[in-house]
């Protein structure tokens, strides 16, 4: 199975796109590992695979897009969740339900994808804000905290947080907020770029080089990175706003610590 082209990674402003259906599957026909991705599935639910997509699949700490796909013949498919296949490398599974069970897609059909643009914007704001928070904490505490490093992040609105190796005491909260405010107010451009292994080395970021084989990438493919100009660069496949100011007011929620890991929560006002 050919990998699904991720159109949103090249143009994050797309909210609609015509694509071709490559596969149409009932939930019951999915491999067990893929069925388990959609625990809320019902018998009437389906998965649609297309050659290209503007729907961001859940991953990298970011929730999946939702929206609708419609064919010229009038079939309508409500996309409720999007996940990467656990079986076929790079295949994007659009999970949902047809408005009319008697009117469905077939392989080869041309369909128009429309994402929920309001939710996409919210998720993009949270994702960018998470990277800005990570940059603020790194620049403030990298030399202050023993064995400091950024580990992972969740950009889900209800539980957004960045995790760091090392113990960050509560006394740093106000200073982190000040640094975060500064980065947001500076309206730093947020740019997408494409790097190879040499670029990571040249920029002193060899430790962040993604695993090409694990991602199923060919030797000539480039890794996608997001640059917060003036702050940090991160390998990232998610969606973002065009500048830090577009994140809006970003508040540090609380700092929790456990087993040598510090979790800095945040929310958008």
């Amino acid at each position: 199975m050919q990998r699904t082209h991720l159109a949103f990674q090249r143009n994050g402003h797309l909210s609609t796109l015509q694509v071709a259906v490559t596969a149409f599957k009932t939930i019951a026909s999915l491999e067990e590992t893929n069925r388990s991705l959609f625990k809320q599935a019902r018998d009437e639910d389906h998965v649609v695979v297309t050659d290209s997509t503007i729907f961001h699949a859940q991953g990298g700490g970011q929730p999946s897009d939702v929206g609708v796909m419609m064919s010229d013949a009038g079939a309508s498919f409500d996309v409720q969740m999007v996940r990467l296949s656990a079986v076929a490398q790079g295949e994007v599974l659009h999970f949902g339900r047809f408005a009319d069970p008697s009117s469905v897609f077939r392989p080869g059909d041309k369909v128009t994808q429309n994402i929920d643009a309001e939710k996409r914007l919210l998720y993009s704001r949270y994702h960018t804000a998470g990277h800005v928070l990570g940059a603020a904490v790194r620049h403030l505490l990298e030399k202050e905290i023993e064995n400091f490093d950024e580990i992972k992040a969740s950009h889900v609105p209800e539980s957004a947080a960045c995790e760091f190796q090392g113990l960050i005491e509560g006394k740093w909260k106000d200073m982190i907020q000040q640094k975060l405010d500064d980065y947001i107010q500076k309206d730093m451009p947020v740019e997408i770029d494409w790097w190879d292994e040499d670029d990571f080395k040249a920029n002193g970021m060899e430790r962040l080089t993604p695993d090409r084989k694990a991602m199923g990438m060919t030797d000539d493919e480039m890794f996608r990175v997001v640059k917060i100009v003036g702050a940090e660069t991160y390998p990232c496949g998610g969606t973002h706003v065009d500048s830090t100011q577009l994140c809006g007011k970003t508040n540090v929620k609380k700092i929790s610590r456990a087993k040598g890991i510090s979790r800095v929560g945040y929310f958008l006002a």
Side-chain angles (χ1 to χ4, degrees):
M1 178 67 70
Q2 187 174 7
R3 283 190 292 159
T4 307
H5 175 253
L6 306 179
F8 66 86
Q9 288 195 345
R10 295 288 178 175
N11 184 351
H13 295 289
L14 287 173
S15 60
T16 185
L17 182 70
Q18 187 177 67
V19 299
V21 175
T22 59
F24 157 73
K25 308 173 184 179
T26 63
I27 289 297
S29 71
L30 292 177
E31 302 86 349
E32 177 58 34
T33 49
N34 276 338
R35 278 203 307 275
S36 67
L37 297 175
F38 309 108
K39 293 181 171 56
Q40 77 278 36
R42 300 179 182 178
D43 291 343
E44 63 266 35
D45 294 331
H46 291 81
V47 162
V48 173
V49 181
T50 55
D51 62 343
S52 183
T53 188
I54 54 170
F55 284 86
H56 178 275
Q58 179 179 315
Q62 181 174 332
S64 83
D65 283 323
V66 295
V68 65
M69 294 190 214
M70 297 189 68
S71 71
D72 291 341
S76 178
F77 183 73
D78 181 24
V79 180
Q80 301 171 0
M81 182 183 292
V82 185
R83 299 293 297 270
L84 285 170
S85 171
V87 177
Q89 183 83 45
E91 181 183 68
V92 176
L93 306 177
H94 305 84
F95 163 81
R97 192 171 302 168
F98 286 97
D100 179 355
S102 67
S103 179
V104 299
F105 303 152
R106 299 298 178 195
D109 283 355
K110 297 291 185 182
V111 299
T112 300
Q113 297 179 334
N114 291 282
I115 60 168
D116 183 324
E118 186 175 342
K119 284 189 176 179
R120 161 65 72 80
L121 177 58
L122 177 64
Y123 297 156
S124 297
R125 289 174 59 214
Y126 262 94
H127 201 150
T128 303
H131 284 326
V132 177
L133 173 60
V137 173
R138 171 173 289 280
H139 287 199
L140 188 66
L141 299 179
E142 185 173 24
K143 296 180 180 179
E144 301 288 338
I145 304 295
E146 187 177 0
N147 297 321
F148 177 90
D149 201 2
E150 294 179 67
I151 301 175
K152 62 180 181 179
S154 167
H155 310 298
V156 178
E158 297 78 16
S159 58
C162 297
E163 292 188 6
F164 305 88
Q165 183 173 295
L167 297 179
I168 302 175
E169 297 178 22
K171 68 180 183 180
W172 291 106
K173 181 181 176 181
D174 288 345
M175 283 177 274
I176 292 172
Q177 184 68 64
Q178 291 172 9
K179 191 73 169 176
L180 178 59
D181 289 344
D182 180 52
Y183 283 172
I184 296 291
Q185 291 165 8
K186 280 184 176 178
D187 202 22
M188 296 171 165
V190 178
E191 300 176 351
I192 302 300
D193 202 357
W194 299 85
W195 286 7
D196 60 14
E197 287 85 353
D198 290 338
D199 292 314
F200 280 92
K201 290 179 182 178
N203 285 276
M205 295 172 55
E206 191 171 359
R207 65 185 177 82
L208 294 179
T209 306
D211 187 331
R212 183 178 294 279
K213 289 185 178 179
M215 296 175 69
M217 296 174 63
T218 61
D219 290 340
D220 60 345
E221 287 183 276
M222 306 288 276
F223 301 110
R224 186 175 184 267
V225 299
V226 58
K227 293 181 176 180
I228 302 170
V229 180
E232 283 287 342
T233 299
Y234 295 91
C236 182
T239 66
H240 294 275
V241 291
D242 290 335
S243 73
T244 58
Q245 201 169 80
L246 293 175
C247 295
K249 175 59 177 172
T250 305
N251 297 298
V252 177
K253 195 172 183 179
K254 73 172 188 177
I255 302 174
S256 57
R257 294 162 294 279
K259 299 180 179 179
I261 303 299
S262 297
R263 181 179 175 89
V264 182
Y266 71 98
F267 66 95
L268 303 185

